[in-house]
């Protein structure tokens, strides 16, 4: 199950920006800039085309009006001239426009003035009065061209000032007179033979006056363009704010997802447009990345757990689980291919004095150093294993002669481990004892080979240590020193040599005692006080774990029934016991005889061995049906993987001490524990952290678990006898009364 974050629709919620993800664009590279540029270009093109067409049309209409007005003024001029000078004649074109005036004499000579009684100036004044514009009378000279009769100024066309012949015909257009430009209508005056003798020129106005309206139109057009561009800027800004404002946020959201920062919910999902669809798609991507990351972390955690399941946490050598798997594989290969191998058991001599003299820290360093030296002696096909405590094993693949190859390896081990060790600032020497069994020479089963190698190991110790022996027929052990003999363990149960200690389990939210875990001890008459790792595995190998487990369950229930009703007791049960059909009857009988409610009993199953679902699952379901809780112990090591939580009905898991030990020093361990806590909360599974020994661990667990988990370890107290449990519980009751 993946914990999906709820989709939020608050656009205003601030988003934490990562400076490394923010890219500075030049404004014209951004979407906003591009949209602004495209809109501006569109406006400019559209307006330019429209304005250009308007200016062109205004120019056309203006020129048409100018030409018509010039033609009209020319007609007025010709009419007045004919009225004054009755002897003149005119020539017109097909449209009736006068294109020339025929006169025998120029209008400005004295005889014409005398005959008509009109001075040219009076005639021009009369024409100007009628046309409301200046009028000129020009006389023609072959050398100088057209000359103003009044001011002696010359006239020239604007288009071609040097081409004087243009004005020798009917003309409408711009001319320069006296340094000023006029739009005029010019009618040539010719004599009877058709020679130009002058011209009457009437103006409709100066260029500046005529173009005033045109210029005003251009000015207004330019002002309108500025207003439209300003309006476009306002529209673009509005579009950017309302349409494109989410784009940078969404780009940042995708960038954060690409960098696997998936804690921010994608904004703008409530929009009912393409932006909203894009935001929803990005949110789906984010959720998928969360799920993928979660699954990837779980896969990595499973891989690490798989590694931890088969390796010793201290020396990193393969552990007893790996030993059993490997020896079973070699036995299978032996039966199918005839590939023989040797089992070499190595036990350190005088390891206990090292622990007692220098402390457990130095003892652990010694074991780690041994775990480094042994693999250096082996070939690729061999395996060095730590069985537990100061016991190691080597599985040696035989390539030729089993005896000679085992002897050679044994000499190397004795010599290597006999070299001085420097641990914790101390230098000292130890030795080792070695027992060897050869397959198939000395046996073809795991139990036989281990028993015979152990007998050979005992022989090495019995003969003075620092030596090796092969198993030989007839080897026996002194029963007082042989942990493998059935009778010795049976005598221990019968003679009350086994007893229980209880380690309290603390709730982190209020520091109250949730219950206790029952831990078995053996007060051996020869070896003294023995911890479980000295005899549990051996009991499993020789088939005595069932009676020992029955004793443990019954005594734990008898002790726990005297505790307050809220306190539970957890009892470790071996997978070997679960395979026994008697386990249900043992639990049921223990509950009935003690009177302990089933809900107060928890059965802890270690993950050190693989659980066959076809065999174990029905047993666990039956135990759960009794009302007894089922706990997966040492989760994170052995075979205890995430699949177990799905397959088997575990209601409670205990995180392995190897993970808790590094939680305050290793970020990776802290991440693994946090993921386990998160997963357990989602599944409704109780969780306990084992091996809490430092305040930093306690504080980290309290923060990660938000007070919802329990813990046990030396930080809260060592395991104590049942009499001390009663004292602890009484003290807790008194403290509660005082607080009330």
């Amino acid at each position: 199950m993946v914990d999906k974050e709820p989709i939020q629709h608050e656009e205003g919620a601030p988003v934490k920006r990562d400076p490394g993800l923010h890219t500075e664009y030049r404004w014209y590279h951004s979407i906003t800039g591009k949209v602004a540029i495209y809109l501006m270009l569109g406006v400019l093109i559209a307006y330019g085309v429209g304005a250009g067409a308007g200016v062109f049309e205004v120019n056309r209409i203006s020129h048409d009006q100018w030409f018509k007005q010039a033609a009209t003024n020319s007609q007025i001029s010709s009419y007045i001239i004919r009225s004054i000078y009755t002897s003149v004649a005119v020539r017109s074109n097909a449209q009736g426009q006068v294109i020339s005036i025929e006169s025998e004499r120029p209008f400005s000579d004295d005889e014409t003035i005398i005959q008509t009684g009109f001075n040219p100036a009076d005639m021009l004044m009369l024409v100007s009065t009628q046309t409301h514009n200046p009028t000129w009378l020009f006389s023609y000279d072959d050398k100088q061209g057209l000359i103003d009769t009044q001011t002696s100024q010359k006239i020239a066309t604007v288009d071609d000032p040097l081409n004087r012949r243009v004005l020798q015909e009917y003309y409408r257009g711009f001319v320069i007179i006296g340094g000023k430009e006029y739009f005029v209508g010019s009618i040539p005056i010719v004599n009877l033979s058709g020679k130009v003798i002058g011209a009457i020129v009437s103006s409709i106005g100066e260029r500046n006056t005529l173009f005033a309206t045109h210029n005003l139109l251009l000015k207004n057009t330019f002002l309108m363009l500025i207003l439209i561009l300003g309006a476009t800027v306002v529209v673009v800004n509005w579009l950017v704010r309302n349409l494109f404002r989410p784009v940078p946020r969404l780009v940042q959201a995708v960038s954060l997802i690409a960098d696997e920062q998936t804690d921010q919910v994608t904004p703008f999902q409530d929009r009912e447009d393409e932006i909203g669809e894009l935001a929803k798609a990005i949110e789906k991507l984010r959720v998928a990345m969360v799920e993928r990351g979660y699954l990837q972390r779980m896969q990595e955690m499973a891989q690490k757990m798989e590694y931890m399941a088969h390796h010793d946490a201290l020396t990193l050598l393969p552990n007893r689980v790996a030993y059993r798997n490997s020896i079973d594989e070699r036995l299978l290969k032996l039966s199918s291919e005839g590939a023989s191998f040797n089992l070499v058991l190595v036990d350190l001599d005088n390891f206990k004095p090292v622990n007692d003299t220098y402390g457990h820290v130095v003892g652990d360093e010694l074991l780690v150093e041994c775990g480094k030296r042994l693999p250096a002696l082996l070939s690729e096909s061999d395996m060095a294993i730590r069985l537990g405590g100061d016991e190691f094993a080597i599985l040696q693949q035989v390539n030729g002669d089993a005896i000679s190859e085992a002897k050679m390896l044994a000499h190397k081990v004795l010599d290597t481990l006999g070299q001085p060790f420097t641990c914790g600032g101390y230098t000292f020497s130890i030795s080792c004892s070695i027992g060897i069994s050869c397959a198939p020479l000395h046996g073809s089963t795991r139990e036989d080979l281990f028993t015979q190698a152990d007998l050979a190991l005992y022989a090495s110790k019995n003969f003075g240590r620092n030596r090796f022996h092969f198993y030989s027929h007839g080897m026996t052990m002194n029963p007082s020193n042989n942990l493998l003999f059935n009778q010795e363990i049976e005598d221990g149960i019968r003679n009350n040599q086994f007893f229980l200690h209880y380690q309290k389990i603390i709730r982190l939210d209020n520091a109250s005692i949730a219950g206790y875990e029952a831990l078995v001890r053996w007060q051996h008459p020869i070896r003294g006080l023995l911890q479980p790792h000295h005899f549990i595995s051996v009991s499993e190998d020789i088939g005595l774990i069932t009676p020992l487990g029955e004793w443990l369950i019954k005594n734990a229930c008898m002790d726990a029934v005297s505790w307050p009703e809220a306190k539970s007791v957890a009892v470790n049960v071996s997978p070997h016991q679960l395979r026994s059909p008697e386990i249900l009857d043992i639990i049921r009988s223990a509950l009935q005889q003690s009177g302990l409610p089933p809900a107060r009993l928890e059965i802890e199953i270690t993950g050190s061995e693989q659980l066959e679902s076809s065999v174990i699952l029905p047993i666990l379901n039956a135990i759960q049906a009794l009302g007894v809780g089922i706990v997966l112990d040492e989760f994170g090591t052995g075979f205890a993987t995430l699949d177990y939580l799905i397959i088997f009905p575990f209601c409670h898991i205990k995180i392995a001490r190897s993970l808790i030990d590094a939680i305050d020093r290793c970020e990776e361990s802290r991440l693994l524990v946090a993921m386990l806590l998160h997963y357990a909360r989602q599944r409704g599974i109780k969780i306990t952290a084992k091996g809490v020994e430092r305040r930093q661990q306690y504080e980290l667990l309290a923060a990660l678990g938000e007070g919802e988990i329990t813990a046990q370890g030396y930080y809260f107290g060592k395991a104590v006898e049942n009499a001390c449990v009663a004292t602890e519980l009484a003290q807790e009751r008194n403290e509660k009364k005082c607080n009330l």
Side-chain angles (χ1 to χ4, degrees), residues 503-520:
Q503 186 174 43
K504 58 185 173 183
I505 302 171
I506 301 298
R507 295 187 182 92
L508 295 186
D509 55 351
N510 57 15
S512 64
I513 299 174
Y516 288 85
E517 179 182 355
L519 304 173
V520 64

Side-chain angles (χ1 to χ4, degrees), residues 530-699:
L530 297 180
Q531 299 294 325
H533 68 268
H534 287 107
F535 55 87
I536 292 295
S537 296
V538 177
S539 299
E540 293 175 347
D541 290 337
I542 64 177
L544 284 179
I545 191 63
T546 298
L548 181 59
E550 180 179 3
W551 176 91
L552 173 59
I553 294 174
K554 288 184 177 180
N555 282 270
C557 291
M558 293 297 295
D559 288 342
V561 75
S562 62
W563 303 343
E565 294 183 358
K567 312 304 179 185
S568 63
V569 62
V571 180
N572 287 280
V573 173
S574 167
H576 289 75
Q577 294 173 261
L578 294 176
R579 299 186 187 100
S580 172
E582 303 173 3
I583 185 65
L584 282 175
D585 293 334
I586 291 173
I587 295 174
R588 190 180 295 112
S589 174
L591 292 173
Q592 290 175 351
Q593 292 179 16
S594 64
L596 184 71
R600 292 179 57 192
L601 175 62
E602 289 186 331
I603 298 298
E604 290 193 10
I605 302 170
T606 180
S608 62
E609 288 193 37
Q610 191 168 7
L611 302 179
E612 305 91 345
S613 60
S614 60
V615 177
I616 304 299
L617 183 57
I619 300 296
L620 293 184
N621 287 333
I623 294 174
Q624 186 185 46
L626 294 176
V628 176
I630 303 175
V631 183
L632 179 58
D633 192 19
E634 292 293 333
F635 184 70
T637 61
F639 285 93
T641 62
L642 295 173
D643 292 342
Y644 277 16
L645 300 182
I646 300 174
I647 299 172
F648 301 105
F650 293 113
C651 63
H652 190 175
I653 60 175
K654 289 190 174 182
I655 302 177
R657 67 179 69 248
S658 58
L659 289 178
I660 302 301
D661 183 61
I663 192 174
D664 56 340
R665 301 189 301 266
C666 177
E667 178 66 26
E668 199 168 74
S669 294
R670 190 154 53 249
L671 176 61
L672 283 173
V673 172
M675 291 172 60
L676 287 174
L677 292 171
H678 176 75
Y679 180 81
R681 279 197 294 266
Q682 294 299 312
R683 293 289 305 276
I685 299 174
K686 294 190 295 183
I687 195 163
T688 298
K690 295 188 67 174
V692 178
E693 299 183 356
R694 297 184 293 276
R695 181 174 183 82
Q696 295 90 333
Q697 296 170 335
Y698 163 73
E699 292 175 346

Side-chain angles (χ1 to χ4, degrees), residues 33-221:
K34 290 178 180 178
V35 170
I37 290 173
Y38 293 153
L39 286 177
M40 292 292 188
L41 287 176
V43 170
L44 285 174
I45 292 172
Y47 189 81
V49 171
V55 170
F56 175 81
E57 186 65 18
V58 169
N59 283 338
R60 186 186 66 78
I61 294 173
S62 297
H63 280 77
D64 287 346
Q65 290 178 345
W66 295 346
F67 276 91
K68 289 179 182 180
Q69 185 65 36
T72 301
N73 287 357
S74 296
Q75 290 287 72
I76 293 173
S77 299
S78 65
Y79 175 77
I80 293 176
I81 288 174
R82 280 182 295 172
S83 299
I84 296 175
Y85 303 102
T86 57
S87 60
V88 302
V90 297
R91 187 165 60 89
S92 302
N93 58 17
Q95 289 76 30
Q97 174 66 49
V98 177
I99 59 174
S100 65
I101 298 175
E102 295 180 352
S103 176
E104 184 178 352
R105 303 181 62 83
F107 297 153
S108 59
D109 65 348
D110 296 337
E111 185 176 351
T112 301
I113 294 172
I114 293 173
Q115 290 179 354
T116 60
F118 271 89
N119 187 304
D122 296 334
M123 182 269 293
L124 294 176
M125 180 64 69
L126 183 60
V127 173
S128 297
T129 301
Q130 294 297 319
T131 61
H132 304 287
N133 282 293
T135 303
W136 298 270
L137 179 63
F138 289 88
S139 61
Y140 181 74
D141 182 84
D142 289 336
K143 295 182 179 181
Q144 297 184 17
L146 292 171
I147 304 298
D148 186 3
T149 58
Q150 303 298 314
T151 62
S152 298
Q153 294 178 340
K154 295 181 180 181
I155 185 172
T157 60
V158 174
D159 297 333
D160 189 5
L162 300 178
N163 188 3
R164 302 171 187 174
R165 297 186 61 82
V166 173
L167 294 176
Q168 295 179 13
E169 298 176 355
Y170 177 64
Y171 173 78
R172 287 176 296 178
F174 283 102
V175 297
I176 300 174
I177 302 174
K180 296 181 179 180
E181 291 188 28
Y182 298 91
F183 194 94
V184 300
S186 174
I187 302 177
I189 301 173
V190 299
N191 57 20
L192 296 179
S193 61
K195 180 180 178 182
V196 176
I197 59 175
I200 183 70
V201 178
S202 59
S203 168
I204 66 170
E206 291 186 34
R207 171 183 282 274
N208 293 338
T209 303
L210 294 176
F211 274 94
T213 302
H214 180 271
N215 293 336
L216 179 62
L217 175 63
L218 291 179
K219 179 180 179 182
N220 291 338
T221 301

Side-chain angles (χ1 to χ4, degrees), residues 311-317 363-365 367-368 386:
H311 291 81
D312 176 59
L314 180 63
T315 63
L316 302 183
L317 289 177
D364 288 346
E365 289 187 27
L367 293 174
V368 171
R386 185 191 177 200

Side-chain angles (χ1 to χ4, degrees), residues 346-366:
V346 180
D347 189 86
L348 302 183
D349 299 330
N350 301 315
F351 177 72
K352 188 175 185 300
V354 172
N355 263 344
D356 294 341
T357 304
Y358 303 110
H360 291 283
V361 174
V362 175
D364 288 346
E365 289 187 27
L366 174 59

